[in-house]
Amino acid sequence: MFLSGNFGNVLKLMLFLSAEGAVVLATADGVFMPGLLKKLQKVPSAPVEEVQEVVIQSRPSAPSDVFVLDQVVEVIDEEQVVSGVIYAASKVSLSADAVLGEAGEVSQQAKGSSKSQPSRVVRSAPTKAPDPLLDDNAPWWLSEQEPPVPQVEVLVPAAQEILENLLAMDSEKVLIADAVRKAVQGASDALRDEVRLTRKVQDQAERELLSLLIGKGPLAALYEDAGVTDVFIDSHRSVKVIRRGHAMETPFTFRSEQEYRLFIRSMLGSVQRSLDESSPIVDCVLEDEWRTRVNAIDPSVLEAKEPRLCLRIPRLQKIAFYDILQTKTLPPTLAAWLAEVVASGEANILVLGPAGAGKTVMTTALLSAVKSDERIITIEDVPELFVPTTHLDNLVARPANSRGEGEVTMPQLVKAALRRAPHRIVVGEIRDEEGRIFLRALETGHAGSIATIHAVNSRDALWRLLDLVASYEQAPQE
């Protein structure tokens, strides 16, 4: 590990998160402590040679119980039918019907298989519901989609044209529901001679239009899936996601390019942003319960005819050390040691790792150990951190408007934070001059501060910090 200048006094602890899930704690004394982190996913235990129990799921009529065989000594006839086996050792098979019978019948069947086979005791245990964050099964929305209603497919596009004209005259949120109702009614009157539209069809059309304007539209099912963390929309016909670390296609689409653009305009309008040629790239955070992070690109800077969206959905916002222990992300001793280090405030911590390694999640967990009577100021380019304390200031950078005015940079926010008497400073990510200002601030106090940086190892992180400091330091004049 490389330490230069005052870095050894300023950065007491460096926490490295690798893409493969390894955690390396590098202290100023050069001591490395290994741990384990893989996107807060449960780590499977190592296989055991001697199996102590076999778990077999009960019949569908009684899904709340499972039956456990306490002891298996010899291999039972492999030709028996295996049904509903959840966990079993290699070369061990059991008939579900036999296990679901009385304990005496199981013992009698076992004795018939082998003379040395001991009697077995069958006991009942409750089945735990799978954690949605740890469930690796195929998503439910691949097979549980409702078929489209032909009348709705005709009514909604006609209502959208009327709705856009109504919203152009008055776009107040309080009038959206009335505007949708008027648009659906107007489209129904225009199509009355061509299509038979019932009240049920009109109500469904109103719900879909409201979801498109103030909800998630066709993406609602993806938001309900706890495993989906990123949504990529390349066109109105192409919606892709990252689910549990794997990229996959989805069956969801928008009806037309017009509907897709209406969805983008309504979504960005909720946070007073717009996407056009004067503002071709938009980064913002939605004011929804997920705090969705949005990156939108106008087709004027793309080799495409439609805008593209990237939606990042932070699923783990209020994470603490308890959650890290529950998911076996870190060993209990290491997690306890980290919590004590953060609570004492004696070490400034730099969390580093490549993209997607879990730096934000780990930083949020570290901040959960801070005492409630300490004042914290977070400085971020995009608000991602959740700090469970009342003594908190969230400073967020802001890009310039279409006229090139109103920009607020990260270095400016770090300077402003120093004048607000914080106990700790948290920098969401060091990319530029804020790294030099942050290190200078640590030299004058603010012990226990935390920052993150992109790097593949501890040495590269320190070199990058050194480059940032050197690029903004003035050379001495002779």
Side-chain angles (χ1 to χ4, degrees), residues 274-286:
S274 62
L275 183 69
D276 48 37
E277 293 187 1
S278 62
S279 179
I281 301 177
V282 175
D283 289 300
C284 62
V285 177
L286 302 183

Side-chain angles (χ1 to χ4, degrees), residues 313-385:
I313 310 171
R315 297 292 183 180
L316 302 171
Q317 298 181 18
K318 302 180 181 181
I319 189 171
F321 274 102
Y322 175 78
D323 303 296
I324 290 181
L325 293 175
Q326 287 293 102
T327 53
K328 299 182 180 179
T329 303
L330 291 177
T333 53
L334 180 56
W337 179 78
L338 270 177
E340 184 179 354
V341 168
V342 175
S344 64
E346 297 179 356
N348 301 311
I349 302 177
L350 181 65
V351 182
L352 56 122
K359 297 185 295 297
T360 302
V361 172
M362 179 57 70
T363 303
T364 303
L366 293 174
L367 292 174
S368 67
V370 178
K371 299 177 181 178
S372 60
D373 59 348
E374 295 189 40
R375 179 174 171 78
I376 302 175
I377 295 184
T378 62
I379 304 163
E380 301 177 84
D381 191 17
V382 177
E384 300 175 345
L385 297 173

Side-chain angles (χ1 to χ4, degrees), residues 107-146:
S107 301
Q108 198 67 25
Q109 188 182 39
K111 290 180 180 179
S113 302
S114 174
K115 295 181 179 180
S116 60
Q117 189 78 3
S119 60
R120 297 171 176 80
V121 178
V122 178
R123 59 184 173 87
S124 175
T127 303
K128 294 182 179 179
D131 189 339
L133 288 176
L134 303 176
D135 185 16
D136 291 328
N137 296 328
W140 57 268
W141 39 261
L142 284 178
S143 58
E144 298 183 12
Q145 291 190 75
E146 296 183 359

Side-chain angles (χ1 to χ4, degrees), residues 218-266:
L219 309 180
L222 300 178
Y223 273 83
E224 294 174 3
D225 187 352
V228 175
T229 55
D230 300 87
V231 180
F232 306 96
I233 309 177
D234 298 332
S235 68
H236 74 280
R237 294 181 178 271
S238 175
V239 179
K240 307 180 181 69
V241 299
I242 293 181
R243 187 177 187 272
R244 313 209 183 285
H246 300 282
M248 60 186 302
E249 297 274 357
T250 73
F252 303 106
T253 59
F254 293 86
R255 290 185 177 88
S256 62
E257 180 181 348
Q258 179 185 8
E259 182 177 280
Y260 176 41
R261 290 180 178 272
L262 178 62
F263 174 75
I264 295 177
R265 187 161 58 250
S266 302

Side-chain angles (χ1 to χ4, degrees), residues 47-53 72 87 89:
V48 183
E49 295 181 359
E50 297 182 0
V51 178
Q52 298 299 326
E53 64 181 14
V72 175
Y87 174 81

Side-chain angles (χ1 to χ4, degrees), residues 168-241:
M169 293 185 293
D170 193 349
S171 59
E172 293 292 332
K173 289 185 178 181
V174 294
L175 300 179
I176 286 181
D178 295 337
V180 168
R181 193 175 299 109
K182 292 179 182 178
V184 172
Q185 186 62 44
S188 300
D189 296 338
L191 297 172
R192 191 179 302 277
D193 296 335
E194 303 176 11
V195 183
R196 182 175 179 274
L197 301 173
T198 63
R199 185 66 244 177
K200 181 179 179 181
V201 171
Q202 295 180 22
D203 291 341
Q204 184 174 346
E206 291 180 7
R207 289 194 300 270
E208 291 194 14
L209 287 175
L210 283 174
S211 176
L212 192 71
L213 293 177
I214 60 178
K216 302 305 178 184
L219 309 180
L222 300 178
Y223 273 83
E224 294 174 3
D225 187 352
V228 175
T229 55
D230 300 87
V231 180
F232 306 96
I233 309 177
D234 298 332
S235 68
H236 74 280
R237 294 181 178 271
S238 175
V239 179
K240 307 180 181 69
V241 299

Side-chain angles (χ1 to χ4, degrees), residues 415-446:
K415 293 178 181 178
L418 297 177
R419 299 183 178 95
R420 300 183 64 81
H423 289 98
R424 304 182 190 227
I425 299 175
V426 180
V427 179
E429 184 175 345
I430 293 177
R431 293 190 183 97
D432 207 348
E433 187 183 3
E434 63 269 9
R436 177 183 67 87
I437 303 175
F438 177 70
L439 290 177
R440 295 299 184 193
L442 298 185
E443 292 179 350
T444 60
H446 312 291

